[in-house]
Amino acid sequence: QDGCIEHLTKTIKPGMRDLDVYAEAHYYCSKHGSQRGLVMVCSGPLGTVVPIVPFGLQNRVIRAGDQVSVLVEVSGPSGYYTEVMKIFTVDAEPTPALQEAFTVSRECQDVIAASMVPGADPGELWNQAVTFLTERGYEIPGRSYAHGQGLSLVERPNIRVDEPWKIDEGMNIAIHPAAAGKGVWAGVTDGYIIGKNGAERIHKTPREIVRV
């Protein structure tokens, strides 16, 4: 997945459709042993809300001055899933609002990762992220912002208030908070393995917005 993001950094350009980015991502992942998975792509002008969307909505033409949001959530050669997301800007620098939202998402991810110690309660982790985002003026997450992964794309524990399973050492968990609101959307997604003192990020892709 890190290699896929690097591939997209060299591939995304004005004139492509979102579905072309989808195809490039699946091409790279398939060539490197992935058999199935989910790629979500969305583009839109900087200064607008650009969340990730499914394939049926990926027909827009990418233009200079756009934000492109890409999620790569596919299995590896072993069949195990992880996921990573990247925000690109096309021939333009990120707006201050986009950069601020991205920074808040990354900080939220760090806070939750540090709290994901063995025995941590998913309901408390959910409330912690909600408080972090809303205190900074962003919306309450509309869905789970972290969940287990394995041979299925989503596995328990799911970080929500009704999840009874506790965090345990060795779990493979995706943490993907998003700062949404104020006319902007910015998410951060990485895979983590739970250690004795918190979650350790396994992706090497730098957590920053990339201009292409």
Side-chain angles (χ1 to χ4, degrees):
Q1 291 173 357
D2 287 329
C4 178
I5 295 299
E6 180 64 24
H7 173 70
L8 295 179
T9 299
K10 301 173 183 177
T11 304
I12 294 173
K13 61 181 182 296
M16 297 177 71
R17 293 185 183 271
D18 295 347
L19 60 86
D20 295 320
V21 179
Y22 168 98
E24 288 288 345
H26 272 300
Y27 168 80
Y28 183 95
C29 291
S30 297
K31 293 284 283 186
H32 289 81
S34 176
Q35 297 183 46
R36 60 183 63 86
L38 176 69
V39 175
M40 301 179 77
V41 182
C42 185
S43 65
L46 283 166
T48 64
V49 177
V50 188
I52 50 176
V53 298
F55 181 75
L57 301 175
Q58 296 177 13
N59 197 39
R60 184 180 179 276
V61 176
I62 296 170
R63 300 177 175 85
D66 277 354
Q67 171 183 339
V68 182
S69 306
V70 182
L71 172 73
V72 179
E73 188 171 9
V74 299
S75 64
S78 65
Y80 278 82
Y81 280 90
T82 57
E83 57 177 308
V84 67
M85 199 192 79
K86 178 61 64 178
I87 291 177
F88 302 90
T89 59
V90 182
D91 288 338
E93 295 297 328
T95 63
L98 178 61
Q99 188 61 63
E100 176 191 346
F102 184 84
T103 299
V104 167
S105 292
R106 185 176 59 202
E107 291 173 350
C108 183
Q109 188 185 55
D110 286 339
V111 167
I112 297 306
S115 298
M116 278 192 173
V117 297
D121 177 71
E124 294 177 0
L125 292 168
W126 168 265
N127 290 333
Q128 185 178 15
V130 168
T131 298
F132 188 94
L133 292 169
T134 56
E135 284 184 344
R136 289 155 180 80
Y138 295 97
E139 298 173 2
I140 296 174
R143 61 188 181 94
S144 171
Y145 71 85
H147 57 83
Q149 296 198 285
L151 294 175
S152 296
L153 187 145
V154 175
E155 291 190 354
R156 296 176 69 183
N158 208 338
I159 306 306
R160 33 190 281 172
V161 294
D162 58 351
E163 174 60 84
W165 285 21
K166 300 297 190 288
I167 303 299
D168 201 1
E169 187 175 356
M171 285 180 169
N172 169 25
I173 293 186
I175 306 177
H176 51 74
K182 304 180 181 180
V184 70
W185 185 94
V188 179
T189 299
D190 293 277
Y192 288 78
I193 301 297
I194 305 302
K196 294 182 183 300
N197 301 309
E200 301 174 4
R201 190 166 69 100
I202 59 177
H203 285 96
K204 305 302 182 186
T205 298
R207 294 182 302 163
E208 57 189 28
I209 299 171
V210 175
R211 177 175 174 171
V212 294

